[in-house]
Amino acid sequence: MSLSQDANRVTELENEVNSLRERLSHQISFSATLAQITEKGYLECGVSTGLPGFSMPNAKGEWHGLDVEFCQAVAAAALGDKAKVKFIPLNARERFKALQSGDIDLLSRNTTWTLQRDTALELHFAGVLFYDGQGFMVKKSLNANTAKDLSGASICVQSGTTTELNLEDYFKLNQLTYTLVPFDTAKETIVGFEENRCDVLTADQSGLYGLRLSLKNAEDAVILPDIISKEPLGPVVRQGDDQWFNIVKWTLNAMINAEELGITSENIDTMKNSDIPEIRRFLGLDGPQGKSLGLNPDWAYQIIKQVGNYGESFDRTVGVQSPLHIQRAQNHLWSQGGLHYAPPIR
């Protein structure tokens, strides 16, 4: 081997060592999220800048929605109090950087689980909170019945999202033309739609139902039946802290398991008298309790008592008890024809 080859090899090894040091430092800095939130006394949770049904502040500045309630469920499990959450509104471009940098502890912001985000961005999706798909909302005056009638239309879209990429793929595949009208936030897209800056608004279909509520003349807008993508939306954490990842993941599993077991926020105290092994393990009366998560034995009890099971949260925020009236469909439990299926607590 020549001297130049030796030098090149040394440089390669130095680069490898530096890369390993950087990755190790990154992991160490984020390896104690539970300890950090316990010390500061609250969870910092990234949410949207305002999307009805998922994360939206009311006139008093109080946050509500499915994503918001999941943040509260994690706080109930980890800190014993669902109120110990600080909500950080983030647009689509800001959300991942805020999580990677440690500005937030958890991202619960109608975010689609994809290969690139799960790997290249060094993030972990803790599961699917809401199964969705991209759709289109159009002005009635456009006389469009399907997405294939939209060639030549101007389309409002939130930039920095999978929505923008799916739109490009769909129109290219179907040899349709369109004019892109991008905005930074969901609120800006609906304003643009209402001000006739575009003929069509595209987003996750659940989001379209929420955005339509804010229109002055909602009856003038139609949501087309077409779904052009898979959008599994779920909570996200940084890689490098397996304990925190497990806590967030099992918070979601607990909410789903509780619904399947028939445990609700209203009957959970009477369930303490149950002799059913699964229920007793869930309540922390028997079995592994919270030891492997580093939590108190009643961690799952606190989630359901303070927030509710998955079905309760869904119905209240986006389902039949909400202004959106979204049907459960694929968001039903697996035993009811849906896709939600949680591993057992044992």
Side-chain angles (χ1 to χ4, degrees):
M1 185 177 289
S2 66
L3 289 176
S4 61
Q5 289 176 317
D6 282 341
N8 288 338
R9 182 55 182 156
V10 168
T11 300
E12 289 176 1
L13 289 172
E14 288 177 344
N15 290 336
E16 289 178 10
V17 169
N18 289 334
S19 177
L20 287 170
R21 283 175 176 167
E22 182 178 349
R23 291 176 63 183
L24 182 60
S25 173
H26 179 78
Q27 290 180 353
I28 290 173
S29 64
F30 295 130
S31 64
T33 307
L34 177 61
Q36 291 170 6
I37 67 168
T38 300
E39 182 178 355
K40 64 187 177 185
Y42 58 89
L43 165 70
E44 290 179 289
C45 195
V47 293
S48 77
T49 52
L51 183 61
F54 288 86
S55 47
M56 192 82 178
N58 61 20
K60 297 179 180 179
E62 300 165 333
W63 286 86
H64 298 277
L66 186 65
D67 289 335
V68 168
E69 291 200 2
F70 184 76
C71 296
Q72 293 171 332
V74 174
L79 300 172
D81 186 348
K82 76 170 189 176
K84 292 184 175 181
V85 184
K86 180 179 180 181
F87 295 103
I88 312 295
L90 300 165
N91 65 36
R93 294 183 182 277
E94 299 169 330
R95 56 184 165 174
F96 298 125
K97 184 177 180 181
L99 183 60
Q100 291 166 329
S101 65
D103 290 340
I104 58 175
D105 307 302
L106 168 65
L107 178 65
S108 184
R109 187 204 173 282
N110 56 295
T111 298
T112 302
W113 188 351
T114 69
L115 168 67
Q116 189 75 358
R117 291 171 175 178
D118 204 28
T119 56
L121 297 186
E122 296 188 343
L123 303 175
H124 277 316
F125 282 76
V128 179
L129 183 63
F130 189 95
Y131 290 96
D132 210 345
Q134 185 172 333
F136 298 92
M137 181 164 65
V138 304
K139 304 284 179 60
K140 277 187 178 179
S141 58
L142 198 62
N143 293 318
N145 297 312
T146 73
K148 291 183 180 178
D149 295 332
L150 300 180
S151 188
S154 55
I155 304 179
C156 287
V157 64
Q158 189 174 356
S159 57
T161 63
T162 56
T163 307
E164 190 174 3
L165 302 176
N166 294 334
L167 179 67
E168 180 181 355
D169 288 346
Y170 180 81
F171 273 69
K172 183 177 180 181
L173 179 65
N174 289 283
Q175 298 181 329
L176 306 173
T177 61
Y178 69 101
T179 301
L180 189 70
V181 185
F183 296 92
D184 283 335
T185 67
K187 183 178 180 180
E188 289 174 349
T189 64
I190 195 64
V191 170
F193 181 77
E194 191 160 41
E195 293 179 347
N196 296 312
R197 296 179 62 182
C198 58
D199 309 305
V200 182
L201 192 156
T202 186
D204 293 344
Q205 196 169 57
S206 62
L208 293 177
Y209 282 99
L211 292 170
R212 188 170 65 171
L213 291 176
S214 63
L215 293 172
K216 293 178 182 177
N217 297 303
E219 64 277 4
D220 291 338
V222 177
I223 297 174
L224 299 181
D226 307 72
I227 300 293
I228 67 168
S229 70
K230 293 186 296 183
E231 304 296 329
L233 310 179
V236 195
V237 297
R238 293 177 292 271
Q239 290 183 15
D241 188 342
D242 287 347
Q243 181 193 32
W244 183 240
F245 175 46
N246 286 335
I247 289 171
V248 175
K249 175 172 58 178
W250 280 96
T251 295
L252 177 56
N253 288 338
M255 295 178 75
I256 296 170
N257 272 317
E259 183 179 10
E260 185 172 350
L261 292 170
I263 304 173
T264 71
S265 57
E266 293 183 356
N267 70 16
I268 192 166
D269 286 321
T270 62
M271 286 288 187
K272 290 180 179 180
N273 299 319
S274 174
D275 57 1
I276 298 174
E278 286 180 286
I279 292 177
R280 293 187 62 80
R281 285 194 296 269
F282 185 94
L283 297 177
L285 302 174
D286 297 326
Q289 302 176 321
K291 295 176 184 176
S292 59
L293 292 172
L295 301 179
N296 292 328
D298 67 346
W299 65 277
Y301 167 88
Q302 295 298 340
I303 293 171
I304 308 308
K305 180 65 177 178
Q306 298 185 43
V307 179
N309 66 34
Y310 180 80
E312 288 180 280
S313 183
F314 185 100
D315 289 346
R316 183 168 51 236
T317 57
V318 298
V320 294
Q321 298 172 14
S322 78
L324 275 68
H325 293 286
I326 295 175
Q327 298 300 308
R328 285 287 295 266
Q330 66 266 37
N331 286 293
H332 259 305
L333 298 177
W334 67 280
S335 56
Q336 298 176 33
L339 298 175
H340 283 296
Y341 183 104
I345 295 176
R346 63 175 310 138

